[in-house]
Amino acid sequence: MKLVFAGTPEVAVPALDALLASGRHEVAAVVTRPDAPAGRGRRLVASPVAQRAEEAGIEVLKPERPRDEAFLARLREIAPDCCPVVAYGALLPRVALDIPAHGWVNLHFSLLPAWRGAAPVQHSLMAGDQVTGASTFLIEEGLDSGPVYGVITEDVRPTDTSGDLLTRLAFAGAGLLAATMDGIEDGTLKAVPQPAEGITLAPKIQVEDAHVDWAAPALRVDRVVRGCTPAPGAWTVFRGERLKLIQAALVPDRTDLAPGELSAGKNNVFVGTGSHAVELLWVQPQGKKPMRAADWARGVRIAPGERVGAADVG
């Protein structure tokens, strides 16, 4: 088939690579979000998908909005058979959805209908799912509600962050998307409507969602830290400033600390929760680089009984 691939961030690149390597389909063009400011200089930088497409010598389309007439006209000229999508980042209007003969087929990083929305992996981790996966489905105008072509499953490991899990799903899902294109072309794959039961939503994680509640059980604290790493980053407050929590570990046998209470030794930093303690392993103080929690604690000289989360950010 002739394909136009739509995607933007790094997590979409493995799928583009899989389609380019398949040898069975022609990737005629790539659709991605416009160049965005990045780095300290805030200069405009092309998306990871745009950069990969340019390396491969593929035409790159960067519409401000997918309903822009110039973009739609070019898409009609290319006349793709199907448009595979991975984390494109913009809503597709009906007029665009109708152009390819086999529609737009999305690779979504959950087992639909669970976790429909922008942040399925983060929500899956924060909810404590033991198994997740990826799905390919035909895009409709509803939110991730279209019929499903195929799924893969992936076990959630005890120390997975959303970054870890998303990386594995990106590579495993790339094979699923390529196989879905093959099945659509040869007519062996039919999309099956999603069940009406089991629908959960996964909206974008807001900064406040990543604010750790130390009165919650340790398991909940651990899930928030892992689910919000690397983005937007779990956080708490220490001495009126935000402290980012990058890595923590459960310490079931330490139950003597009140919620948020700190206990710092030579090589360890423990924090009390609503159940047992957690150990802080890596943190990032406001305006500084990530560091080992023990190094941070030595620098700030934690006083006996001092707490995190005890005051709002000033």
Side-chain angles (χ1 to χ4, degrees), residues 61-74:
L61 307 174
K62 303 177 183 180
E64 288 289 337
R65 300 178 306 163
R67 64 175 64 254
D68 290 351
E69 193 48 51
F71 164 68
L72 295 172
R74 180 61 189 134

Side-chain angles (χ1 to χ4, degrees), residues 65-146:
R65 300 178 306 163
R67 64 175 64 254
D68 290 351
E69 193 48 51
F71 164 68
L72 295 172
R74 180 61 189 134
L75 196 60
R76 292 187 189 101
E77 288 175 0
I78 297 170
D81 297 301
C82 190
C83 293
V85 185
V86 185
Y88 169 47
L91 290 175
L92 296 160
R94 169 53 60 189
V95 64
L97 294 177
D98 288 342
I99 291 175
H102 294 286
W104 297 65
V105 175
N106 192 43
L107 172 64
H108 183 76
F109 298 115
S110 82
L111 298 174
L112 290 170
W115 306 125
R116 294 176 179 176
V121 175
Q122 291 95 325
H123 280 276
S124 179
L125 276 175
M126 291 169 74
D129 291 349
Q130 294 182 313
V131 177
T132 185
S135 309
T136 49
F137 71 95
L138 183 66
I139 293 180
E140 299 177 337
E141 288 182 283
L143 177 65
D144 300 334
S145 60

